[in-house]
Amino acid sequence: MFKLRRPAYRVFVIVHVVSSVAWLGLSLCLLVLGVWAVGTGDAAEQYAAGSAMSVLAGVLAVPLGAGALVSGLVLMLGTKWTVAYTWVLVKLVATAVTFALTVFSLRPGLAAMAAGLDPERLQVLDGQVLAAPIVSSSVYLGAVVLSYVKPWGRRGAGRVPARVPVPARSGR
């Protein structure tokens, strides 16, 4: 195991936060566009929203997800925040699963949906257009909360004993 030096640590934290927040932003954009595509009564608007979803996911999802996953792994391996902490393990598994779903399901699904849209004719879109962005946004928001709150402590370490107040020293 290696320990990241301060400059490298800062770089990886910045990459991790930026890519993770951008991935959440992308997911929220896909959700807004999905609601628009499902709810509009105009075929041209539906086509535009579906096409935008496909392009955004096709261009941004993999680099942002890979950036979040790789930088998270480096931080996990190079800092005290290892998988010994339950919240780190939960974030790692959630990120890996959502990244795999992005690569193998979301991007191909959105590309197929966009290919089937016609700017002249309104399509009936199923709930899958909304399901993936809802799930991914929830996972990414949960990851933000876990990063901030850091619940559960170290796995296998038992409960952390309560701090005992130390009496103040006299002025002597």
Side-chain angles (χ1 to χ4, degrees):
M1 186 153 121
F2 70 100
K3 180 164 171 49
L4 286 173
R5 295 187 183 270
R6 188 121 178 112
Y9 170 78
R10 287 179 175 171
V11 167
F12 279 102
V13 166
I14 290 168
V15 168
H16 188 65
V17 170
V18 168
S19 60
S20 298
V21 171
W23 204 15
L24 170 60
L26 172 63
S27 186
L28 292 171
C29 286
L30 294 176
L31 180 58
V32 169
L33 288 167
V35 169
W36 183 22
V38 169
T40 187
D42 183 322
E45 287 184 8
Q46 184 183 59
Y47 179 80
S51 297
M53 289 178 77
S54 179
V55 169
L56 285 171
V59 172
L60 295 174
V62 170
L64 294 176
L69 185 58
V70 170
S71 61
L73 282 169
V74 170
L75 289 167
M76 180 192 71
L77 295 171
T79 68
K80 70 177 183 175
W81 301 113
T82 67
V83 291
Y85 291 90
T86 304
W87 67 270
V88 173
L89 180 61
V90 169
K91 274 186 63 178
L92 175 63
V93 169
T95 303
V97 168
T98 53
F99 182 69
L101 289 172
T102 295
V103 171
F104 298 113
S105 182
L106 175 72
R107 290 178 66 225
L110 288 176
M113 182 256 326
L117 292 176
D118 181 353
E120 304 295 324
R121 191 168 47 105
L122 197 61
Q123 306 288 319
V124 176
L125 299 176
D126 63 5
Q128 289 300 102
V129 172
L130 299 177
I134 288 171
V135 170
S136 61
S137 295
S138 300
V139 169
Y140 307 147
L141 286 169
V144 168
V145 171
L146 288 176
S147 294
Y148 181 74
V149 175
K150 296 174 179 53
W152 307 309
R154 241 177 123 83
R155 293 183 304 122
R159 293 193 49 89
V160 177
R163 289 190 171 181
V164 177
V166 178
R169 291 182 60 171
S170 65
R172 296 183 197 191

